[in-house]
Amino acid sequence: MARVLVLSNGFFVMEKQQLTIRYTTYEHISELPEEVQTLMAEAVKARENAYAVYSNFKVGAAVRLENGAICIGSNQENAAYPSGLCAERVAIYQASTQFPNETIQAIAISGTAKAPTDQPVSPCGACRQSLSEYEIRQKKAIPVYFMGACGKIIQTDSIKDLLPFLFDGSLL
Ligand code: THU
């Protein structure tokens, strides 16, 4: 419950609360656990097949499932811009279509503009929301690893670290 602070002048304010998110940083793909290296390599490969003729920003994603399968996706753009789809959603929807009952173990993402960037590319808000649906459904956190073209990787243990106060179906 929020606490009320009473100021010396008799006014009161609601106490600000704080939420902490946790993440891990790896300096290079070679520092990742071996099977995550493989997953990130798949994301990088998928990135090459992005259809990103409008933004020239290519993103690849790879999802590893408990049965060992890896489902990939890349961003697919469209002349009617909102009709395109992000790499993460292409990958996760494909995983859920091909293997509806398999637990998702992790997702790796790599994105870059034409001039390669080593700044990690984090999933957009809509992708975070989409990913959260599967994490909640499977009742198991999904680690997210994201990278630029190469270089540093950021990892969260759960989508929830990327999307505090997420909207979920229990409210419906
Ligand atoms: N994009 C993704 O594929 N994933 C994200 O999380 C961020 C953005 C794509 C969408 C669009 O094709 C391009 O990157 C530029 O926004």
Side-chain angles (χ1 to χ4, degrees), residues 51-52 55 57 59 75-77 85-88 121-124 127:
Y51 178 65
S55 72
F57 192 85
V59 185
N75 53 328
Q76 299 296 315
E77 297 186 348
L85 197 61
C86 292
E88 296 89 326
V121 172
S122 64
C124 76
C127 287

Side-chain angles (χ1 to χ4, degrees), residues 5-12:
L5 301 178
V6 182
L7 306 178
S8 55
N9 60 8
F11 283 89
F12 60 86

Side-chain angles (χ1 to χ4, degrees), residues 34-56:
E34 212 168 292
E35 58 175 33
V36 184
Q37 284 188 33
T38 309
L39 196 63
M40 186 56 86
E42 289 293 324
V44 169
K45 233 195 305 172
R47 198 183 77 209
E48 294 313 311
N49 290 335
Y51 178 65
V53 287
Y54 300 104
S55 72
N56 280 314

Side-chain angles (χ1 to χ4, degrees), residues 38-141:
T38 309
L39 196 63
M40 186 56 86
E42 289 293 324
V44 169
K45 233 195 305 172
R47 198 183 77 209
E48 294 313 311
N49 290 335
Y51 178 65
V53 287
Y54 300 104
S55 72
N56 280 314
F57 192 85
K58 292 185 165 192
V59 185
V63 171
R64 182 191 292 281
L65 304 174
E66 203 150 79
N67 66 358
I70 292 178
C71 294
I72 58 166
S74 60
N75 53 328
Q76 299 296 315
E77 297 186 348
N78 193 282
Y81 293 176
S83 302
L85 197 61
C86 292
E88 296 89 326
R89 276 175 284 170
V90 171
I92 201 94
Y93 292 156
Q94 195 195 157
S96 183
T97 302
Q98 285 193 294
F99 305 100
N101 300 313
E102 284 298 323
T103 299
I104 295 161
Q105 286 187 331
I107 180 166
I109 302 155
S110 167
T112 184
K114 228 175 188 169
T117 173
D118 59 4
Q119 193 171 329
V121 172
S122 64
C124 76
C127 287
R128 294 175 196 204
Q129 180 65 33
S130 299
L131 292 167
S132 77
E133 183 75 23
Y134 298 95
E135 178 168 299
I136 291 163
R137 182 174 77 169
Q138 71 182 27
K139 298 188 179 72
K140 191 170 178 216

